[in-house]
Amino acid sequence: MEILILVVTLVSELAIAVYSIATKQSRSKIKSWTRIAMFIGFMILSLGKVVVWEYTWGLFVSLLFILALKEMAVLLRKQKHTSRYRAYSTIWKFLLLILTVVVTLVPVLLFPQFRLPQVTGPYAVATATYSYIDKNRIEEFTDQEDNRSVNVEFWYPEQADGTYPLLVFSHGAFGIKASNTSTFTELASHGYFVVSIDHPYHSFYTVSEDGKVVTINSEYMQEVNNANKDGVYSLGEFYELTQKWMKLRTDDMDFVMDTILEQAEQKKILYMNASIHRK
């Protein structure tokens, strides 16, 4: 879709330039209405969910809006005199505009819109995110004596009623909890509860419920990069690094699973008490 929009925009602007050169007119209603139609067309595609709106479209949409606004002003303004037409001016403006279009679409081309495949299971899927604070551990990546905080996201059957198997996912180096979303969604559609963990400072980035953003630790990133190079670490050093990384991961996973089980038990007790009270 991103490439198609780029091609349509380039072809439209090329047609406008060719028409301008052929008719020797720098201003025309056809050019104005074409640019206005491009903006309206993109908005229709967005509202119709054909284009999945993301912040990466911001620059391109702003450009389309400015061009449409400019052309609306041209249509409404009475032209008092016609300036002498210059073909090279049209070509120069066309090349400059094309460069601007490409630049504004760079974020979209680098980070294209992603749509999850259709699930095959019978359940509709819901998601939820939480931040759990481990009061038994101090964050080792800071010197502020804060407790370790772990962010998680759940994928589960929306109409969950009963007992379902729980799957715990731990991302790889530089990963994020949503990196395997399509797999999690598919599993949840078949009746699984999936919890994916962001390991702060091992994850590329993670955002807690209160909006705090934690990015990857530079020392850890350097360790991983060096581990992928021959001759940097001895076998013993690599083993020690791996054990250190895995200790953090397994402690996070144990904490998350204990928290889930504890919360499930609390809800079970509340449900039983409510049932007894009703009786």
Side-chain angles (χ1 to χ4, degrees), residues 138-146 201 212:
I138 300 298
E139 181 55 72
E140 62 184 64
F141 288 96
T142 67
D143 55 3
Q144 300 175 4
E145 297 297 317
D146 293 330
Y201 301 101
K212 180 182 178 182

Side-chain angles (χ1 to χ4, degrees), residues 135-195:
K135 297 181 180 180
N136 295 319
R137 286 190 296 161
I138 300 298
E139 181 55 72
E140 62 184 64
F141 288 96
T142 67
D143 55 3
Q144 300 175 4
E145 297 297 317
D146 293 330
N147 289 109
R148 173 79 171 170
S149 177
V150 180
N151 303 314
V152 301
E153 185 165 0
F154 287 87
W155 284 259
Y156 58 93
E158 189 170 16
Q159 302 298 328
D161 183 17
T163 302
Y164 298 86
L166 173 68
L167 300 177
V168 181
F169 177 83
S170 172
H171 61 72
F174 313 159
I176 58 175
K177 63 180 181 294
S179 58
N180 291 60
T181 296
S182 59
T183 302
F184 305 152
T185 306
E186 176 66 13
L187 288 167
S189 76
H190 287 276
Y192 289 90
F193 267 64
V194 181
V195 58

Side-chain angles (χ1 to χ4, degrees), residues 13 51 249:
E13 289 300 331
V51 173
R249 303 298 188 88

Side-chain angles (χ1 to χ4, degrees), residues 42 51 58 68-69 113 118-119 143 154 174 248 263:
F42 183 87
V51 173
L69 200 62
Q113 67 185 47
Q118 190 70 30
V119 297
D143 55 3
F154 287 87
F174 313 159
L248 179 77
Q263 291 179 346

